[in-house]
Amino acid sequence: MDFDVCVIGSGAGGGPIAFSLAQAGYRVVVLEKGPWFTEADFYKDELACCRRSVYSPDLRDEFHVIEQRGKDANWIATPTHESGRDFWNGNCVGGSTNFMSGFFHRLKPKDFRLLSEFGPIDGANIVDWPIGYQQLEAYYVKVEHEVGVSGRVVNHPNQEPRSTADFPFPPTTEHPVAGWFDETCRQIGLHAVPVPRAILPQPAMNRQACQYSGYCGSYGCSTGAKGSSRAALLNRARATGRCEIRAHAQVYHLDSDRHGRVVAARYYDWADKPRSVDARIFVVACQAIETCRLLLLSTGQRHPQGLANNTGQVGRNLIFSAGGAGTGHFLYANMEKKKAEAFKLLGPFANRCLQDWYFIDDKKLGKVKGGTIEFLFRHPNPISRANRLKRGPDGLLWGEPFKQKLKASFTGARYFRFETFCDWLPNDNCHVTLDPASKDRWATPVARVRVGYHDHDLKIGRFLTNKGRYVLDAMGADKVTWGLSGAPPTNLVAGGCRFGHDPNTSVLDSNCRAHDVDNLYVTDGSFMPTGGSVPYTWTIYANAFRVADKIVEQLGGERSQAA
């Protein structure tokens, strides 16, 4: 036997497994399709990061086929190499955690009981989770310490229960706008919440502190301050001598024996040479879409429809994050000089959100689940900003008019914005299958993703967006622009292998082990039956640590560190 545990994928779902099992004395191999970047490879170059496929595959080689509903209600399938819409979120050791903004929010206890608390919604496949908040709370705390979460706990109406008084690290440096935001909220009766961040404000765990460059989300961290799976967990797992990380390992099939157990992972190495590795236990954490794809590809004698798919549940109930966004335009010319100068400060974070409407009691909507409103500065990417300014009322702008528009945007104003997060309700028109015709550069069928949303998502998103606009107006914004769409954000995806008690309606049991494969676990966001109204990363990390403990138990408990 090559290894005790084989982990496929190295992001928030894979890192805790590799770290915990290596710490417990077991031999672990991590197979990651992308390269192995380090802090030295991450720099604040918009061309490299955001305008080209540097940290994700070239869409001509590896793509998805996306189905969206057309005007005539038919579903229209478009390959992403034609649309340019990229559903990859960072293919490298550490996965997309290298490029996250690190907004870390816990789910609330009611998020685990969405059906019981708020009742069914026609056309939505809402279910309660098979575990509760208390079963995950200790692991949220573990993430705070092992990954490194900074922040400050304050009491507010929807604060979730905590077993610890505060975060292990103080908040990152805050921009003056945070104080203005707090004062505005006090005046209008709202409760400003400091946002916990998976970013170190001071050196710790062989990582450096944040240097506040102003470029965080979508960018890799050159100091290691950001709590990526690579920087926080995999480097330490490898240091035990019991964890091997194989980059450029594209897994294309999981082999199963006549009893249905997984016996080997087949993959292509950096030279496209087929290889395989065997292990006692296999953990899939490829990101929701690709995890579903791998399981569907992995047919076998006992799994003719794909691994763990004997009841046809793999790929169903895919979820994204619903919501909207808005931007407040703050013109320096209309502000007090001292306040304008402070507003120009670059680097420090705003770190504020509102959860006053996480649960809504409204005359029109009734008592329903609401969401989170995150406030932040607009991303400083100059190329993207300039590109959005290139048109005027009569078409493309050229010469002096364009120069003056750029000058006004870059030097005459600051843009403070909000993003709303609410539940994307699972439904029958949001799922993953294998495309019958399209294949990647290894001649493997690609994932076909239908991205249908539920109309209820837009109702909640519109409610929250209006509240965000109200706050920006109260702060004195000269103009507020906003938008709302049913299109999914490609960086927030979960579901597709939901966990539950019933094999007929779920893929995994309550410990994220496949119902019909006793040595297969899934630990990325695929396990989530509903997503809550916050970014998923902290919950994925926490659940993966929880599942790691279950795997250690299955293997016989902790070994001697010398084993």
Side-chain angles (χ1 to χ4, degrees), residues 487-551:
T490 59
N491 64 323
L492 291 169
V493 57
C497 294
R498 61 164 47 171
F499 71 164
H501 297 302
D502 185 356
N504 292 311
T505 58
S506 59
V507 176
L508 312 170
D509 68 14
S510 61
N511 294 327
C512 291
R513 182 167 64 177
H515 286 300
D516 53 2
V517 190
D518 67 4
N519 70 334
L520 173 68
Y521 291 80
V522 175
T523 57
D524 57 21
S526 307
F527 82 95
M528 300 175 73
T530 53
S533 298
V534 294
Y536 306 139
T537 311
W538 195 356
T539 298
I540 296 172
Y541 265 137
N543 183 68
F545 273 116
R546 181 184 72 91
V547 175
D549 282 353
K550 303 299 181 183
I551 295 174

Side-chain angles (χ1 to χ4, degrees), residues 111 167 184 196 205 207 224 307 313 368 376 381 399:
D111 282 317
F167 294 97
T184 299
M205 300 182 285
R207 292 154 53 196
L307 199 60
Q313 292 297 308
V368 295
L376 64 162
N381 281 349

Side-chain angles (χ1 to χ4, degrees), residues 16 23 36 92 110 124 141 144 173 199 231 243 259 302 367 390 393 402 408 447 452 463 468 474 492 519 525 540-541:
Q23 291 277 352
W36 193 339
C92 54
K110 288 183 180 180
V141 175
E144 291 179 9
T173 300
I199 297 173
C243 178
H259 302 292
R302 294 285 297 273
K367 293 184 178 182
K390 65 187 178 183
F402 187 40
F463 179 93
L492 291 169
N519 70 334
I540 296 172
Y541 265 137

Side-chain angles (χ1 to χ4, degrees), residues 132-150:
Y133 175 82
Q134 286 304 318
Q135 289 169 272
L136 210 56
E137 199 278 336
Y139 294 100
Y140 279 126
V141 175
K142 187 168 186 175
V143 175
E144 291 179 9
H145 290 269
E146 299 291 0
V147 173
V149 180
S150 59

Side-chain angles (χ1 to χ4, degrees), residues 66-84:
I66 307 300
E67 288 186 341
Q68 292 182 291
R69 196 185 296 275
K71 293 181 180 179
D72 56 359
N74 291 327
W75 292 96
I76 300 172
T78 307
T80 54
H81 63 73
E82 292 182 9
S83 67

Side-chain angles (χ1 to χ4, degrees), residues 244-266:
E244 180 180 337
I245 299 173
R246 298 183 185 179
H248 298 288
Q250 166 65 23
V251 179
Y252 62 92
H253 197 275
L254 298 177
D255 294 343
S256 53
D257 62 18
R258 61 188 180 88
H259 302 292
R261 304 183 86 247
V262 183
V263 294
R266 284 193 270 159

Side-chain angles (χ1 to χ4, degrees), residues 11 35 56 81 89 147 289 301 335 425 450 470 508 518 550:
S56 58
H81 63 73
N89 292 304
V147 173
I289 293 171
Q301 181 179 344
M335 301 169 67
L425 296 184
R450 179 171 289 188
Y470 167 65
L508 312 170
D518 67 4
K550 303 299 181 183

